[in-house]
Amino acid sequence: MNNDHNSLGNPFDHRQSLVHGRHCGCGECSASRDDASDAPRDSEAMMDRVVESALVRGIFGHSDMHRRQFMKLVGGGTVAAALSTILPLGAIKAAAQESLGPLEKSQLDIGFIPITCATPIIMAHPMGFYERYGLDVNVIKAAGWALIRDNSLNDRFDAAHMLTPMPLAMTLGAGSSSRHFVAPAIENVNGQAIVLHNDHQDKRDPAQWRGFTFGVPFEYSMHNFLLRYYVAEHGLDPDRDIQIRVIPPPEMVANLRAGNIDGFLSPDPFNQRAVYERIGFIHLLTKEIWDGHPCCAFATSARFARENPNTYGALLRAIVDATQYSSDPANRAEIAEAIAPAAYLNQPVTVIEQVLTGRFADGLGNVQNVPDRIDFDPFPWHSMAIWILTQMKRWGYINGDIDYQQIARDVYLATDAREVMRELGYDAPEENARRFEIMGKTFDYTEPEAYVESFALRRS
């Protein structure tokens, strides 16, 4: 494994960045790579550096700028000495070595779709979060969700960026062979929109959409279930009054331009790209349907997690750390630049910045300011999984009796997320489930079957 661990630089050295890695091409990182004399040389030294870095980053609220300013002002040696008098660093490092253990597998392949929902999984590559935990990760761009699913089922990917319904569907064998997958972390909340072609600016009432054709990225997606929920609440049957087509996210704008679809409910940056290309406008942000709804998740097979517990633990720490870093609005412009290149999103930085910062043109002549247009929170609430299962049942994607609570516990690993979040110094909920408000209606996760039966429009 390449030990060029820029993100594992000396945390007491003000000259070194802790949020960029060997894949980063900025001048600072290039210069830093020329002087690798202080880099960890073996796994034990790497783990010691991980502990030092975690403690120092925690002290400075994970702000690398503040850490570097303070180290330059006071002196890294002084800070290191002071820290060692307060904390038993030797004992902490020994405990970390003992608790984490050697990685069973350090070189990993992780699949992703080039959308902003995958921000933590993507930015963890150029910004060094995987390296921070001793992992050499190859992030592999996939053309569509079916490829993510199939490559995950066939073990070509060790882990993957998935839509939040996918590990549930794969575990149940809905749409594919059945295999137990787990989602120990949510990647993003909110972050989607309904976009209509510019020709439909006079059709803002969904009741006028009868006969429209919409694109969604995958059948087992929040996009599909949110679109169905939204139009059904406005009296349209999503299977009879409109057409819903599966279109890979990178092809959404081209299909809108060609007139193949009237609109789409898609992940960003393609909603904003439609505005940027002057083809469509943003009718509605999905946070207006359900504020805080999940979209994408980090997932792996239950077998991978079971057979590689130390690697799984390191990977989950990297993902949670990157997700929390992404949640800070102060970091969004930096992240936009890191994930814009062709290897990742292949989008103009200005488009990604509009999504991540929430200051954006809506295609209707307005500049909106919605800071939580997209947000990042890794906690996989069981009630999120239960709501998804109710919609799968409602529209006939799954049939028969469903143990909603047990499936949620088996797939959405809230306990794993909580332990890692607290270990890294982040706040984590005490409970595993909570009620949500969706278009003004309360979802009671304790009565899922009654919830399904409460809808007049349904297939079940």
Side-chain angles (χ1 to χ4, degrees):
M1 179 175 149
N2 187 339
N3 272 334
D4 180 13
H5 293 279
N6 229 47
S7 65
L8 289 180
N10 185 347
F12 302 105
D13 187 343
H14 72 273
R15 298 168 298 177
Q16 296 193 25
S17 168
L18 301 186
V19 295
H20 294 256
R22 68 173 177 275
H23 305 285
C24 182
C26 75
E28 180 184 40
C29 287
S30 298
S32 201
R33 278 191 285 273
D34 293 337
D35 179 19
S37 58
D38 195 35
R41 297 299 178 183
D42 54 41
S43 60
E44 185 172 340
M46 190 184 303
M47 185 55 63
D48 287 349
R49 181 59 56 81
V50 166
V51 171
E52 292 173 346
S53 180
L55 290 171
V56 171
R57 286 184 294 111
I59 290 170
F60 290 94
H62 297 267
S63 169
D64 204 46
M65 179 184 69
H66 292 153
R67 174 194 68 84
R68 296 173 75 175
Q69 289 174 343
F70 189 78
M71 295 300 172
K72 185 175 182 180
L73 178 66
V74 177
T78 301
V79 177
L83 189 59
S84 65
T85 63
I86 299 170
L87 296 171
L89 285 180
I92 293 173
K93 291 176 182 179
Q97 294 278 358
E98 183 177 345
S99 64
L100 293 180
L103 301 181
E104 300 86 3
K105 185 177 184 181
S106 59
Q107 294 183 319
L108 303 174
D109 290 334
I110 298 180
F112 76 95
I113 299 292
I115 57 179
T116 49
C117 304
T119 290
I121 288 173
I122 298 172
M123 58 78 81
H125 190 245
M127 298 181 71
F129 284 79
Y130 295 125
E131 299 170 64
R132 184 177 294 166
Y133 294 93
L135 299 168
D136 186 5
V137 168
N138 184 27
V139 288
I140 302 172
K141 187 189 297 188
W145 293 107
L147 284 172
I148 291 283
R149 178 196 62 200
D150 294 346
N151 285 329
S152 297
L153 286 168
N154 295 328
D155 293 322
R156 294 190 183 98
F157 292 156
D158 297 294
H161 160 219
M162 289 190 186
L163 298 158
T164 45
M166 285 175 64
L168 295 164
M170 292 159 73
T171 297
L172 292 170
S176 70
S177 57
S178 174
R179 188 176 175 194
H180 186 188
F181 272 73
V182 294
I186 298 296
E187 287 302 286
N188 72 298
V189 296
N190 299 333
Q192 332 301 314
I194 297 176
V195 167
L196 296 178
H197 193 282
N198 282 335
D199 290 346
H200 299 315
Q201 290 192 17
D202 61 337
K203 296 182 176 66
R204 301 302 304 280
D205 182 353
Q208 300 172 290
W209 296 354
R210 198 177 301 272
F212 274 24
T213 299
F214 285 90
V216 297
F218 200 55
E219 281 192 302
Y220 298 95
S221 69
M222 285 297 292
H223 313 83
N224 183 25
F225 297 133
L226 287 173
L227 178 62
R228 286 171 170 274
Y229 191 99
Y230 182 70
V231 299
E233 287 296 294
H234 285 89
L236 298 182
D237 187 319
D239 293 314
R240 295 165 184 161
D241 295 326
I242 64 172
Q243 291 186 41
I244 300 177
R245 293 182 185 171
V246 171
I247 300 172
E251 299 175 20
M252 289 286 188
V253 176
N255 275 273
L256 191 67
R257 180 189 290 112
N260 297 330
I261 53 177
D262 297 283
F264 54 74
L265 200 162
S266 169
D268 270 309
F270 300 104
N271 306 305
Q272 201 60 46
R273 188 64 188 258
V275 174
Y276 182 79
E277 299 282 351
R278 301 181 185 275
I279 296 163
F281 65 94
I282 294 175
H283 165 74
L284 183 85
L285 297 177
T286 51
K287 73 179 293 290
E288 297 176 53
I289 300 173
W290 173 2
D291 193 5
H293 73 79
C295 179
C296 289
F298 165 75
T300 188
S301 69
R303 186 175 72 183
F304 177 88
R306 183 174 62 251
E307 294 180 353
N308 304 279
N310 297 333
T311 298
Y312 166 75
L315 189 52
L316 181 53
R317 287 169 177 82
I319 293 296
V320 168
D321 219 355
T323 304
Q324 294 286 7
Y325 189 81
S326 301
S327 71
D328 187 344
N331 300 328
R332 301 282 177 84
E334 176 192 28
I335 291 170
E337 191 168 345
I339 66 178
Y344 305 119
L345 296 191
N346 193 27
Q347 295 288 329
V349 173
T350 183
V351 171
I352 302 171
E353 280 188 346
Q354 287 185 74
V355 174
L356 294 184
T357 64
R359 184 171 177 80
F360 61 94
D362 62 7
L364 295 168
N366 308 305
V367 175
Q368 305 281 357
N369 188 26
V370 186
D372 58 350
R373 170 178 177 167
I374 188 171
D375 209 348
F376 302 93
D377 183 346
F379 195 76
W381 293 92
H382 289 172
S383 40
M384 290 175 170
I386 294 168
W387 186 86
I388 292 167
L389 291 168
T390 66
Q391 300 309 294
M392 290 169 66
K393 179 73 176 290
R394 176 185 183 184
W395 300 115
Y397 289 92
I398 52 178
N399 299 297
D401 294 333
I402 307 225
D403 190 338
Y404 296 90
Q405 311 293 341
Q406 186 62 52
I407 295 168
R409 286 193 295 271
D410 289 346
V411 177
Y412 277 32
L413 304 186
T415 299
D416 286 10
R418 179 184 296 108
E419 289 177 355
V420 168
M421 290 171 73
R422 289 178 176 172
E423 174 192 316
L424 297 178
Y426 302 118
D427 292 334
E430 294 285 348
E431 65 278 12
N432 292 336
R434 62 180 178 183
R435 296 185 178 187
F436 301 110
E437 292 289 328
I438 304 168
M439 291 187 71
K441 297 181 179 178
T442 299
F443 168 55
D444 182 355
Y445 64 90
T446 67
E447 297 289 344
E449 202 61 43
Y451 183 71
V452 173
E453 293 174 1
S454 72
F455 295 107
L457 280 172
R458 65 179 191 270
R459 299 283 87 82
S460 61

